């Protein structure tokens, strides 16, 4: 068996996937999928009583992808690779243009959370550190992710969660 990766621009030529506006949608969908994976992991933790080391890196990737979705939606020249996994820098650089980013920067708890998740990304994914976290921090991260999804949905009308889809009679 072989895993084959094909750039979207080659798999779907002339689809617009080479533009940041279209790429932003993929960031958003990927961020939502990381959030859903995180929620599944929480169920496993509750059932087993075991903390998994990927918990905080999953939260970091969720927020990173959603933040990159917002930035690439408004800036055609946004280069996500330039920022690597430094979400705080994206928030700072785009706070004047994206109100959600400004609100995160102005909230000491949220910006501290972003900084801590960046650190978790660096060290936990290689098993270099142990961790503990308070439930309020996890709820803050999850709520922040949901806020970013909801505001992205309001801007683009792209559905992510069940309540975004029109109800059928």
């Amino acid at each position: 068996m072989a895993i084959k990766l094909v750039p979207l621009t080659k798999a779907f030529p002339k689809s617009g996937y080479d533009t940041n506006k279209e790429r932003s949608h993929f960031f958003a969908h990927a961020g939502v999928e990381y959030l859903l994976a995180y929620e599944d992991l929480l169920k496993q933790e509750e059932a087993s009583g075991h903390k998994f080391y990927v918990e905080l890196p999953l939260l970091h990737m969720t927020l990173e992808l959603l933040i990159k979705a917002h930035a690439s939606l408004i800036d055609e020249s946004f280069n996500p690779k330039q920022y690597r996994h430094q979400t705080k820098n994206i928030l700072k650089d785009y706070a004047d243009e994206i109100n959600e980013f400004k609100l995160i920067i102005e909230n000491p708890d949220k910006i501290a959370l972003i900084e801590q998740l960046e650190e978790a990304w660096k060290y936990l994914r290689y098993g270099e550190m142990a961790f503990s976290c308070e439930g309020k921090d996890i709820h803050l991260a999850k709520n922040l992710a949901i806020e970013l999804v909801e505001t992205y949905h309001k801007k683009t009308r792209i559905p992510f969660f069940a309540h975004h889809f029109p109800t059928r009679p």
Side-chain angles (χ1 to χ4, degrees):
M1 178 193 317
I3 295 173
K4 184 177 180 181
L5 299 173
V6 179
L8 288 172
T9 53
K10 288 186 180 179
F12 306 102
K14 299 182 183 178
S15 60
Y17 292 141
D18 54 340
T19 67
N20 268 354
K21 184 176 180 184
E22 291 300 319
R23 186 185 309 171
S24 72
H25 304 329
F26 284 96
F27 284 135
H29 280 286
V32 169
E33 290 183 20
Y34 270 91
L35 178 61
L36 296 175
Y38 170 74
E39 289 177 343
D40 284 343
L41 182 71
L42 282 185
K43 291 175 190 170
Q44 292 298 317
E45 285 183 355
E46 288 173 12
S48 69
H50 175 74
K51 279 276 197 209
F52 294 99
Y53 278 88
V54 296
E55 180 178 338
L56 297 181
L58 270 175
L59 279 174
H60 172 76
M61 280 307 298
T62 298
L63 292 172
E64 176 184 332
L65 289 164
L66 294 170
I67 288 166
K68 286 180 176 179
H70 280 272
S72 59
L73 183 65
I74 63 125
D75 182 2
E76 188 58 40
S77 65
F78 175 73
N79 180 357
K81 292 180 182 179
Q82 166 193 334
Y83 288 95
R84 303 176 43 98
H85 302 290
Q86 300 165 346
T87 49
K88 182 179 172 185
N89 291 343
I90 301 170
L91 294 170
K92 284 181 176 179
D93 289 350
Y94 287 88
D96 289 339
E97 294 126 292
I98 301 173
N99 190 52
E100 296 82 11
F101 290 8
K102 181 181 179 201
L103 295 174
I104 293 169
I105 292 288
E106 291 174 349
N107 183 312
D109 290 336
K110 288 181 179 179
I111 200 64
L113 174 73
I114 295 291
E115 291 169 345
Q116 291 165 351
L117 289 175
E118 284 183 9
E119 287 298 304
W121 174 258
K122 284 190 241 177
Y123 299 111
L124 285 175
R125 64 191 170 140
Y126 296 116
E128 296 174 344
M129 292 190 177
F131 78 97
S132 67
C133 55
E134 296 181 20
K136 67 180 181 87
D137 296 327
I138 295 302
H139 290 295
L140 180 62
K142 186 177 173 185
N143 289 339
L144 179 55
I146 291 169
E147 287 171 20
L148 289 169
V149 173
E150 293 296 344
T151 56
Y152 191 88
H153 168 71
K154 285 178 185 169
K155 291 175 184 178
T156 65
R157 305 308 303 159
I158 293 176
F160 298 98
F161 298 133
H163 66 272
H164 294 159
F165 291 88
T167 54
R168 294 186 178 148

